[in-house]
Amino acid sequence: MDRPGFMASLVAGGVAGVSVDLILFPLDTIKTRLQSPQGFNRAGGFHGIYAGVPSAAVGSFPNAAAFFITYEYVKWLLHTDSSSYLTPMKHMLAASAGEVVACLIRVPSEVVKQRAQVSASTRTFQIFSNILYEEGIQGLYRGYKSTVLREIPFSLVQFPLWESLKALWSWRQDHVVDSWQSAVCGAFAGGFAAAVTTPLDVAKTRIMLAKAGSSTASGNVLSALHGVWRSQGLAGLFAGVFPRMAAISLGGFIFLGAYDQTHSLLSEVGRKSP
């Protein structure tokens, strides 16, 4: 991937990530509190729905930039003809690689953010300091495995579906989709992927919020899912599914639309530059 393409992916991904995380933060807080072990009201209800936003603001740009740099690079590395039956597989592999890399940045930000969301009276920096003091760096990466196990299936559904919807729309209108059309495709793809991966999101939330030293804090996803199923049944496994779908559908619209628009503009600038 050439330098203009690299820079376009970095900046476009970062801009898209910040836009989504800050605009849709209240929905994310509601979803986290619905999934928390103590229940929605005891976790804060509708009070302080911007608790933890500094952590999201700091992590969103590098997280999204890391994902899209990796995603575009792996797509370029695995270049196939657009009509090839291997194209969806290429998108799946690229998205999976992007998630593994991005989670190195996303997980510490997510751990601090989610603990702040269910402890609105505690400052974000104090939560960050407490994690480092009590658990060290390892505490910031609690839930890395569960996050990757959530994000990879999500991306395996979202990105091939997004690319396929764009290709279908382009074929129907006989020209490349506009940014708003890409955003609509992203909304559909994101909403569907959000619904089917909600149980994995619940497990990730429980692991990140669990008390240090508890069995849930060990990071065993199947154990966390089993615990939720035993105590709350199917409703518990799909706790927060509607705010999650709403946030990710809107997020897909803003995120993938903003990414396409910014990437196109920067690529055009790069081509015109000497």
Side-chain angles (χ1 to χ4, degrees), residues 162-183:
W162 176 52
E163 300 277 12
S164 297
L165 289 171
K166 287 197 299 177
L168 179 62
W169 203 334
S170 298
W171 174 74
R172 290 292 298 271
Q173 67 186 8
D174 203 27
H175 65 79
V176 176
V177 292
D178 298 324
S179 294
W180 72 267
Q181 293 170 326
S182 174

Side-chain angles (χ1 to χ4, degrees), residues 34-137:
L34 284 168
Q35 294 177 349
S36 66
Q38 65 263 51
F40 180 71
N41 290 325
R42 291 183 64 188
F46 291 102
H47 173 71
I49 56 174
Y50 278 96
V53 75
S55 177
V58 169
S60 60
F61 188 100
N63 162 44
F67 172 83
F68 271 111
I69 288 171
T70 309
Y71 179 68
E72 295 291 353
Y73 179 74
V74 174
K75 277 205 311 182
W76 171 79
L77 206 62
L78 302 174
H79 177 70
T80 58
D81 185 81
S82 59
S83 61
S84 171
Y85 67 93
L86 292 174
T87 297
M89 185 64 69
K90 176 183 75 172
H91 295 148
M92 289 179 181
L93 289 171
S96 298
E99 293 297 356
V100 170
V101 173
C103 281
L104 294 171
I105 300 166
R106 180 181 306 148
V107 170
S109 172
E110 186 93 347
V111 169
V112 175
K113 180 197 74 176
Q114 290 207 307
R115 294 194 191 182
Q117 286 173 325
V118 298
S119 306
S121 60
T122 309
R123 296 174 66 87
T124 301
F125 184 75
Q126 185 180 343
I127 290 171
F128 174 74
S129 301
N130 288 344
I131 293 170
L132 284 179
Y133 179 75
E134 294 172 9
E135 302 176 66
I137 295 294

